[in-house]
């Protein structure tokens, strides 16, 4: 049952149990104190009655009619409320009528309470002697009024305490309900986020902790929405870039590769005709051969340029170090005003083909951004091995410049966003930090040693 209760139900149930327990403890305390209280009242009343009787009967023998006087005293004292006094002879037989019971009180305490508080009546015998005839006055306590007063106090306490407890319970239910009200909104918002509605928001409210959770959830929803939008734009950009790349390759194949092949075909046909002639002209053969060599050289350059766009030339043959050094050298030759310092740790072992290509593309993209946008005068490229938690080996790639940095709120370009998605897919990370000292691109790329 407890497991099926909501948080609000659990809190309300605990509050009800605490209030009931407090009321029960208070009533139990009053019941526990009732016995000693009634006993103390009995002893006090009997002591006073005994002292009073002893004082009266001291001069009883001096009265004109001691027996009549004693009977009158017994009748008068029998009217007392808290005690009853009866005259007994020497054999213990009562000489005065028994005290009549009082009218039944509708608010009289129940029998179980009377037996619990005062199970037995207290009786004290005071001996008297009238002209040598022994007798006694028996004092019996009747604490009915005291017990009724205590019971009435308990009933009143129970009634008032129950009303106060119920009022507190309903008040706390209201407070708890208002404090936990954002939980349902949080659950609804999480359901919408799970369904892909990242525009869902929760109005912060309730306790400060819940308000903070609502604020964090709104921030999370906004971040997820931006990430999904970035992914959508990236996918759209990737498709667009693929189409553009294919169009460019198709155009180059049509505009350059096609004419070269046509020219080679023409020169080959001319050479074939020369061979069919009776006297081939050496100058004509040399001319057509030279033209074919030029066309073949142009085709080789075109082929190298296309391959460079598809995959870095020499990365597989020369390795990552030589490929990065070649890339840095090309940038130094094209931009001699910018100092490029490349440092590859000797401890960096084989990283694997996928990691090599990823590292090369990160450095290539970062250097391209530096020379296009940063306005820097120096660039530092550092590649070193690191070990993450769990013993995972990675290569840390850090490209730093001393340029102007990024504008506040400026988003990353599609190149770095695409690299981040690629690295995340490999299990790594990519962070871009911009400050007054320039921009630092740092990536952790898992290597083949993982």
């Amino acid at each position: 049952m407890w497991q099926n209760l909501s948080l609000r139900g659990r809190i309300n149930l605990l509050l009800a149990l605490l209030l009931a327990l407090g009321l029960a403890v208070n009533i139990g305390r009053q019941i526990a104190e009732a016995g000693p209280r009634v006993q103390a009242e009995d002893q006090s009343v009997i002591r006073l009655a005994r002292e009073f009787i002893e004082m009266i009967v001291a001069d009883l023998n001096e009265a004109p009619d001691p027996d009549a006087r004693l009977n009158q005293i017994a009748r008068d004292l029998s009217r007392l409320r808290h005690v009853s006094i009866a005259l007994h002879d020497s054999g213990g037989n009562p000489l005065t009528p028994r005290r009549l019971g009082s009218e039944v009180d509708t608010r009289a305490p129940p029998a179980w309470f009377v037996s619990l508080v005062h199970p037995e009546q207290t009786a004290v015998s005071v001996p008297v002697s009238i002209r040598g005839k022994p007798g006694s006055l028996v004092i019996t306590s009747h604490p009915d009024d005291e017990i009724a007063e205590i019971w009435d106090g308990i009933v009143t306490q129970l009634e008032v305490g129950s009303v106060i407890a119920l009022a507190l319970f309903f008040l706390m239910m209201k407070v708890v309900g208002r404090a936990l009200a954002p939980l349902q909104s949080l659950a609804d918002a999480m359901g919408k986020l799970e369904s892909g509605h990242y525009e869902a928001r929760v109005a912060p409210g309730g306790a400060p902790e819940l308000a903070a959770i609502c604020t964090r959830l709104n921030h999370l929803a906004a971040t997820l929405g931006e990430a999904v939008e970035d992914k959508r734009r990236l996918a759209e950009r990737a498709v667009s870039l693929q189409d553009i790349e294919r169009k460019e390759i198709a155009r180059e194949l049509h505009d350059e590769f096609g004419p070269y092949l046509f020219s080679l075909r023409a020169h080959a046909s001319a050479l074939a005709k020369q061979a069919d002639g009776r006297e081939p002209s050496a100058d004509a053969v040399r001319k057509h051969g030279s033209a074919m060599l030029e066309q073949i050289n142009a085709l080789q350059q075109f082929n190298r340029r296309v391959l460079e766009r598809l995959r870095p030339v020499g990365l597989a043959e020369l390795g990552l170090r030589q490929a990065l050094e070649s890339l840095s050298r090309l940038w130094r030759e094209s931009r001699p005003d910018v100092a490029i310092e490349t440092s590859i740790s000797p401890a960096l072992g084989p990283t694997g083909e996928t990691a090599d290509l990823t590292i090369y593309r990160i450095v290539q993209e970062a250097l391209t951004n530096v020379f296009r946008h940063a306005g820097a005068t120096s660039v530092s490229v550092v590649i070193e091995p690191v070990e993450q938690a769990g013993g995972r080996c990675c290569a840390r790639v850090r490209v730093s410049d001393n340029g102007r940095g990024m504008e506040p709120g400026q988003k990353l370009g599609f190149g770095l966003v695409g690299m981040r998605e690629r690295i995340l897919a490999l299990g790594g990370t990519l962070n871009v930090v911009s400050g007054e000292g320039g921009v630092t691109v740092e990536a952790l790329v898992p290597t083949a040693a993982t």
Side-chain angles (χ1 to χ4, degrees):
M1 176 182 177
W2 177 261
Q3 298 297 332
N4 297 329
L5 286 177
S6 63
L7 178 59
R8 181 181 301 178
R10 294 182 183 186
I11 294 176
N12 290 334
L13 179 59
L14 287 176
L15 285 174
L17 291 176
L18 287 175
L19 290 173
L21 180 61
L23 184 61
V25 168
N26 191 26
I27 298 300
R29 179 185 60 82
Q30 292 192 12
I31 293 175
E33 294 176 353
R37 178 177 169 183
V38 171
Q39 186 177 3
E41 183 71 14
D42 273 0
Q43 294 175 356
S44 176
V45 170
I46 289 177
R47 184 178 65 254
L48 291 175
R50 183 173 184 172
E51 292 176 354
F52 180 69
I53 291 173
E54 289 177 348
M55 181 181 64
I56 292 176
V57 301
D59 301 330
L60 188 60
N61 289 322
E62 298 178 0
D65 188 355
D67 292 329
R69 177 61 177 164
L70 182 60
N71 291 330
Q72 183 64 37
I73 292 174
R75 285 193 296 271
D76 293 341
L77 292 178
S78 63
R79 297 190 182 95
L80 296 176
R81 294 184 59 188
H82 294 287
V83 294
S84 62
I85 301 175
L87 178 63
H88 289 238
D89 58 13
S90 59
N93 300 314
L95 300 177
T96 56
R98 297 183 60 184
R99 177 176 178 173
L100 298 177
S102 59
E103 297 180 359
V104 178
D105 189 0
T106 57
R107 293 182 59 86
W112 66 265
F113 182 75
V114 175
S115 63
L116 178 66
V117 173
H118 195 266
E120 296 180 358
Q121 291 183 334
T122 304
V124 176
S125 178
V126 179
V128 294
S129 177
I130 305 299
R131 295 178 180 175
K133 186 166 98 176
S136 63
L137 289 173
V138 179
I139 305 172
T140 304
S141 65
H142 295 281
D144 299 338
D145 292 338
E146 184 68 20
I147 297 176
E149 181 181 349
I150 295 175
W151 174 253
D152 186 65
I154 292 175
V155 172
T156 303
Q157 179 69 26
L158 182 61
E159 294 173 350
V160 175
S162 299
V163 172
I164 295 176
L166 287 175
L168 289 175
F169 178 70
F170 287 113
L171 178 62
M172 293 303 297
M173 280 184 61
K174 189 72 174 178
V175 173
V176 171
R178 291 179 61 87
L180 300 181
L183 289 179
Q184 185 60 42
S185 300
L186 283 170
D188 295 340
M190 289 180 181
K192 292 180 180 178
L193 291 178
E194 185 179 3
S195 302
H197 301 285
Y198 300 106
E199 72 281 359
R201 297 293 184 271
V202 182
E209 294 81 0
L210 288 178
I213 293 176
C214 294
T215 303
R216 295 291 180 86
L217 182 65
N218 291 337
H219 180 69
L220 176 62
T223 304
L224 287 175
E226 292 177 359
V228 171
E229 182 64 21
D230 290 341
K231 276 193 173 183
R232 186 196 64 78
R233 288 198 301 265
L234 179 62
E236 182 181 350
R237 178 65 175 171
V239 173
S240 177
L241 289 176
Q242 287 179 357
D243 292 339
I244 294 173
E245 189 73 18
R246 290 169 181 170
K247 288 181 181 178
E248 290 183 356
I249 293 177
R251 179 181 57 79
E252 291 181 359
L253 290 174
H254 180 272
D255 295 345
E256 296 189 29
F257 200 78
Y260 290 148
L261 290 177
F262 178 80
S263 179
L264 286 173
R265 182 183 181 87
H267 287 296
S269 298
L271 286 175
K273 290 179 181 180
Q274 288 290 329
D276 292 339
R278 294 180 180 178
E279 295 180 0
S281 173
D283 292 337
V285 172
R286 188 180 300 108
K287 176 182 177 182
H288 290 299
S290 299
M292 291 180 67
L293 289 175
E294 290 179 0
Q295 299 299 323
I296 291 172
N297 184 46
L299 282 174
Q300 288 178 337
Q301 293 179 358
F302 170 74
N303 183 62
R304 187 180 296 110
R305 187 167 64 251
V306 173
L307 290 176
E308 175 66 25
R309 289 167 55 185
L310 297 177
R311 182 176 177 84
V313 177
L315 182 59
E317 295 80 3
L318 302 177
L320 179 63
R321 295 176 185 273
Q322 286 75 10
L324 289 176
E325 290 176 358
S326 176
L327 178 64
S328 299
R329 184 169 59 255
L330 290 176
W331 278 113
R332 290 190 189 97
E333 292 174 356
S334 62
R335 295 292 299 270
D337 57 322
V338 180
I340 303 177
E341 181 181 354
T342 304
S343 174
I344 303 177
S345 173
L348 184 68
T351 58
E353 182 179 357
T354 302
D356 285 348
L357 181 58
T358 303
I359 294 171
Y360 183 89
R361 291 302 189 191
I362 292 171
V363 176
Q364 185 182 46
E365 181 66 27
L367 290 177
T368 301
N369 289 334
V370 169
F371 289 107
R372 283 183 180 178
H373 311 293
T377 59
S378 66
V379 185
S380 172
V381 180
V382 178
I383 303 174
E384 57 187 356
V386 294
E387 185 173 334
Q388 289 183 317
R392 189 177 190 183
C393 296
C394 295
R396 179 162 58 195
V397 183
R398 184 187 294 113
V399 181
S400 305
D401 65 74
N402 64 346
R404 66 176 65 94
M406 301 173 62
E407 297 293 333
Q410 180 180 350
K411 295 185 177 181
L412 299 180
F414 287 107
L416 285 177
V417 173
M419 289 308 305
R420 173 177 285 174
E421 294 294 329
R422 178 188 179 107
I423 294 172
L424 288 176
L426 296 176
T429 59
L430 185 143
N431 295 311
V432 180
V433 180
S434 177
E436 297 180 355
V439 176
T440 298
V441 178
E442 182 172 320
L444 291 180
V445 182
T447 62
T450 53

